[in-house]
Amino acid sequence: EPEVTQTPSHQVTQMGQEVILRCVPISNHLYFYWYRQILGQKVEFLVSFYNNEISEKSEIFDDQFSVERPDGSNFTLKIRSTKLEDSAMYFCASSPDRGTNTIYFGEGSWLTVV
Amino acid sequence: AQSVAQPEDQVNVAEGNPLTVKCTYSVSGNPYLFWYVQYPNRGLQFLLKYITGDNLVKGSYGFEAEFNKSQTSFHLKKPSALVSDSALYFCAVRDMAAGGSYIPTFGRGTSLIVHP
């Protein structure tokens, strides 16, 4: 069964450093997403991406964050100058379209900022 | 605006007993509702969804959910719980009203603990 894959599974970074989280969405999907889950809290939407551009983003997704699809298969989330409060599990997800289809999630990348 | 509430942080049930994990929602149009499950150190796995049609939706691993429009609820149920069902369960909603976001909003999650 096709799945969304994410790397790394866990990353520890110093405050102020840049982090890139990588994702390979399901191959025939057209919409890609990043969500995050701070420990013990709800799953929060960050951004969605379609046709090589951001289609929707939340208030959380400020200038510190950026997304890119550099090579037609990978979908990356970059966090510039990480802060302690960026520590969270970051989930990549994809869906065939944005209609009634299900969003499929990856296993997550656990980011710890120290 | 769309929102979802999971009123219980934790549900405890004995193996073999029926389980219910509660979810209520708020939308301006018709809802599109999901349940996902998250096992420890894993991503969210899709369980089931409701769009239209039969109010009782059957999903993976023997789970089902009942859509109740008058009570704006979409409770997750299973007739006989297994210890392996112990996990974090998330309800999500998307408002199908014209102009609404196509991004689902997730609840805080409910931890289900099934005791042997």
Side-chain angles (χ1 to χ4, degrees), chain A residues 49-99:
Chain A
F49 192 85
Y50 170 73
N51 199 26
N52 285 318
E53 62 183 21
I54 291 173
S55 51
E56 193 164 338
K57 62 181 181 179
S58 71
E59 293 175 351
I60 302 169
F61 194 86
D62 58 23
D63 292 342
Q64 178 195 13
F65 294 92
S66 62
V67 289
E68 193 178 35
R69 190 160 161 80
D71 56 13
S73 62
N74 289 287
F75 177 52
T76 62
L77 174 69
K78 182 188 291 185
I79 310 174
R80 288 181 280 273
S81 190
T82 49
K83 299 176 282 197
L84 294 176
E85 54 265 37
D86 294 327
S87 295
M89 179 74 89
Y90 289 81
F91 291 108
C92 177
S94 69
S95 64
D97 63 31
R98 68 176 194 181

Side-chain angles (χ1 to χ4, degrees), chain B residues 64-114:
Chain B
E64 57 190 26
E66 185 169 12
F67 171 64
N68 188 318
K69 188 171 184 176
S70 62
Q71 296 185 5
T72 61
S73 67
F74 189 57
H75 300 331
L76 181 70
K77 300 181 180 183
K78 187 173 182 180
S80 178
L82 300 172
V83 173
S84 57
D85 292 330
S86 299
L88 196 55
Y89 290 81
F90 289 93
C91 183
V93 68
R94 182 192 146 191
D95 193 342
M96 299 296 286
S101 171
Y102 65 92
I103 303 298
T105 296
F106 284 79
R108 293 176 58 88
T110 298
S111 177
L112 173 66
I113 299 174
V114 181

Side-chain angles (χ1 to χ4, degrees), chain B residues 7-23:
Chain B
E8 304 153 316
D9 289 335
Q10 185 171 302
V11 170
N12 291 277
V13 64
E15 188 173 33
N17 284 359
L19 69 88
T20 299
V21 182
K22 296 180 180 176
C23 172

Side-chain angles (χ1 to χ4, degrees), chain A residues 31 33 35 37 40-43 45 48 55-56 89 91 98-108, chain B residues 32 34 36 38 41-46 49 51 88 90 94 96 101-109:
Chain A
Y31 283 83
Y33 313 82
Y35 283 78
Q37 183 182 27
Q41 298 187 26
K42 66 179 181 180
V43 177
F45 168 71
S48 63
S55 51
E56 193 164 338
M89 179 74 89
F91 291 108
R98 68 176 194 181
T100 57
N101 278 292
T102 304
I103 296 177
Y104 293 89
F105 286 81
E107 300 266 307
Chain B
Y32 174 29
F34 309 79
Y36 284 81
Q38 184 182 29
N41 302 313
R42 304 292 297 276
L44 280 73
Q45 295 181 33
F46 170 74
K49 65 184 178 185
I51 307 172
L88 196 55
F90 289 93
R94 182 192 146 191
M96 299 296 286
S101 171
Y102 65 92
I103 303 298
T105 296
F106 284 79
R108 293 176 58 88

